[in-house]
């Protein structure tokens, strides 16, 4: 599973002309799909420990014979946890054997899916699935899937007119909701700030170039090992973003340090490149961490005691002001 990080960081270092699509737009992160061994259990963890709510469901009861999907929501954040219903699901089974539980797909809401896919294909992108339409009584939605780094994909989601359904076609109300969860403190998470993809050495530039060439993203920010390092570990990173800068995708690679870089450790344990962490915006990061991550915070993820956290926060107040725009 990728790490979840909380942030209200907002940095814009690069500011110059960059291309815009003649047609079509990438609007925002729509949802993130995790392939996991037990979707129901994963959804329960994020609901119990991090303040998400069960939002939608797809499975045998809704007519899905191959995959069960549990959707959780908090603010504008949507996570979809999927598991195979049958033992012969080769693609999902092989993915779990290679990577374990983790992010399979990062979905973007777009305008003019057909044009964006056509442009990406002309520029060399691998199209996993050409555009198709799904519909129910609430409306129509168009999708397409493109390959990005490793086994990760991007799904383009385009609403064809108003869609009045709960989530997407084929999804229904969850089968049950835990009546105790509303009594716990809120998670305080607002939206997805950025999603980091870790790459092997010398793969950061080709991947960031792919986003700029095929999706017409541009460089938002870049750093090297002189700026981000510890005594033992270092990394390099290029952040790419869409024209409106509503989607931010840092692309990381390892750099030389006294010991193996944390980026290389991730690539080794993940069996290749993939989503290493998801940063979630919080309007009050101290309250979020204290509420979900301490023994006295009811949800009890277990990040240490409140007193220890407050003491470290006071000592590193300047660091918090730099990292999180309080």
């Amino acid at each position: 599973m990728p790490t979840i990080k909380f942030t209200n960081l907002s940095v814009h270092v690069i500011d110059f002309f960059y291309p815009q699509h003649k047609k079509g737009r990438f609007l925002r992160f729509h949802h993130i799909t995790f392939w996991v061994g037990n979707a129901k259990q994963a959804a329960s963890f994020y609901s119990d420990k991090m303040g998400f709510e069960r939002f939608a469901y797809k499975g045998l009861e809704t007519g899905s014979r191959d995959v069960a999907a549990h959707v959780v929501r908090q603010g504008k954040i949507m996570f979809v946890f999927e598991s195979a219903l049958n033992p012969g699901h080769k693609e999902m089974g092989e993915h779990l054997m290679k990577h374990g539980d983790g992010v399979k797909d990062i979905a973007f809401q777009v305008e003019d899916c057909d044009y964006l896919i056509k442009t990406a294909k002309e520029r060399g992108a691998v199209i996993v699935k050409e555009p198709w339409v799904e519909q129910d009584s609430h409306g129509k939605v168009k999708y397409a899937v493109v390959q990005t780094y490793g086994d990760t994909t991007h799904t383009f989601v385009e609403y064809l007119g108003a869609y009045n359904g709960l989530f997407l076609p084929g999804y229904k109300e969850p089968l049950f909701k835990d009546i105790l969860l509303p009594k716990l403190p809120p998670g305080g998470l607002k939206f997805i700030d950025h999603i980091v993809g870790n790459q092997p050495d010398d793969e950061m530039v080709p991947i960031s170039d792919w986003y700029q060439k095929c999706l017409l993203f541009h460089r938002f920010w870049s750093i090297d090992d002189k700026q981000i390092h510890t005594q033992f570990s270092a990394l390099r990173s290029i952040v790419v973003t869409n024209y409106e800068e509503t989607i931010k995708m840092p692309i990381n690679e390892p750099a030389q340090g006294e010991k193996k870089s944390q980026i290389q450790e991730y690539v080794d344990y993940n069996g290749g490149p993939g989503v290493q962490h998801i940063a979630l915006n919080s309007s009050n990061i101290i309250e979020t961490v204290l509420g979900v991550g301490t023994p006295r915070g009811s949800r009890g993820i277990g990040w240490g005691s409140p007193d220890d956290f407050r003491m470290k926060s006071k000592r590193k107040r300047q660091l918090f002001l730099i990292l999180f725009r309080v």
Side-chain angles (χ1 to χ4, degrees):
M1 272 293 187
T3 304
I4 302 295
K5 294 190 176 182
F6 304 143
T7 176
N8 43 17
L9 174 67
S10 180
V11 179
H12 189 170
V13 177
I14 298 175
D15 187 12
F16 51 83
F17 174 79
Y18 36 80
Q20 183 179 17
H21 284 283
K22 295 179 181 178
K23 296 194 298 181
R25 288 195 303 158
F26 291 89
L27 300 177
R28 65 181 181 92
F29 290 113
H30 189 276
H31 66 273
I32 301 175
T33 297
F34 297 74
W35 278 5
V36 298
N38 189 325
K40 183 178 181 180
Q41 185 180 65
S44 294
F45 175 85
Y46 278 80
S47 299
D48 296 348
K49 299 300 184 182
M50 295 188 64
F52 284 78
E53 63 169 334
R54 290 182 179 271
F55 183 61
Y57 168 75
K58 179 172 69 175
L60 290 173
E61 297 85 350
T62 68
S64 175
R65 309 298 299 178
D66 296 320
V67 173
H70 294 258
V71 184
V72 298
R73 178 183 69 172
Q74 184 170 175
K76 296 180 180 179
I77 306 162
M78 296 274 201
F79 289 164
V80 182
F81 299 97
E82 293 187 347
S83 292
L85 290 171
N86 300 298
H89 199 301
K90 184 178 180 182
E91 183 184 12
M92 192 172 285
E94 289 180 349
H95 191 276
L96 288 171
M97 287 178 63
K98 182 178 180 180
H99 303 294
D101 290 0
V103 172
K104 169 58 181 174
D105 185 271
I106 302 165
F108 303 137
Q109 184 179 343
V110 303
E111 291 179 355
D112 203 338
C113 176
D114 289 335
Y115 180 80
L116 295 178
I117 285 293
K118 176 178 178 291
T119 302
K121 189 174 184 178
E122 289 172 349
R123 291 168 173 262
V126 175
I127 309 304
V128 177
K129 193 170 182 180
E130 295 283 351
W132 80 98
V133 174
E134 295 183 7
Q135 66 181 65
D136 58 17
S137 60
H138 302 288
K140 297 180 180 180
V141 179
K142 180 174 285 187
Y143 307 88
V145 182
V146 63
Q147 189 72 43
T148 181
Y149 47 79
D151 294 321
T152 311
T153 56
H154 289 308
T155 295
F156 296 177
V157 179
E158 179 186 1
Y159 292 103
L160 302 179
Y163 183 76
N164 300 315
L166 186 65
F167 176 54
L168 290 169
Y171 287 85
K172 305 293 184 182
E173 289 275 354
L175 298 180
F176 72 93
K177 293 187 178 182
D178 192 331
I179 61 173
L180 295 179
L181 292 183
K183 301 182 183 298
L184 296 176
L189 302 176
K190 305 299 183 183
F191 58 85
I192 298 170
D193 186 272
H194 62 270
I195 300 174
V196 173
N198 279 4
Q199 316 300 319
D201 195 19
D202 293 330
E203 290 297 317
M204 174 187 68
V205 172
I207 295 299
S208 63
D209 286 349
W210 179 89
Y211 278 94
Q212 295 173 80
K213 177 184 177 182
C214 296
L215 304 189
L216 278 186
F217 281 29
H218 62 270
R219 285 198 185 194
F220 179 79
W221 192 34
S222 61
I223 54 172
D224 60 23
D225 50 306
K226 296 180 180 63
Q227 295 163 293
I228 291 195
H229 64 274
T230 66
Q231 180 182 354
F232 301 110
S233 179
L235 64 87
R236 295 182 288 270
S237 181
I238 296 173
V239 182
V240 293
T241 184
N242 61 322
Y243 184 81
E244 289 80 9
E245 299 184 348
T246 54
I247 297 167
K248 297 182 181 69
M249 303 280 294
I251 308 298
N252 292 355
E253 70 177 7
Q256 189 65 39
E258 290 189 28
K259 294 186 178 181
K260 182 185 292 187
S261 168
Q262 59 157 311
I263 310 303
Q264 188 60 51
E265 284 189 335
Y266 169 86
V267 172
D268 291 344
Y269 280 105
N270 188 61
V275 172
Q276 184 248 5
H277 82 249
I278 303 163
L280 306 177
N281 178 277
S282 170
S283 57
N284 190 326
I285 194 169
I286 305 298
E287 289 301 316
T288 293
V289 172
L290 292 177
V292 306
T294 63
R296 295 182 212 170
S298 298
R299 293 186 182 274
I301 288 180
W303 292 340
S305 72
D307 293 338
D308 288 343
F309 185 78
R310 289 192 181 95
M311 189 177 299
K312 292 175 182 176
S313 299
K314 290 177 181 178
R315 289 174 184 166
K316 300 181 179 180
R317 180 64 177 174
Q318 288 183 329
L319 178 61
F320 273 98
L321 286 171
I322 294 171
L323 293 180
F324 311 110
R325 187 161 52 87
V326 179

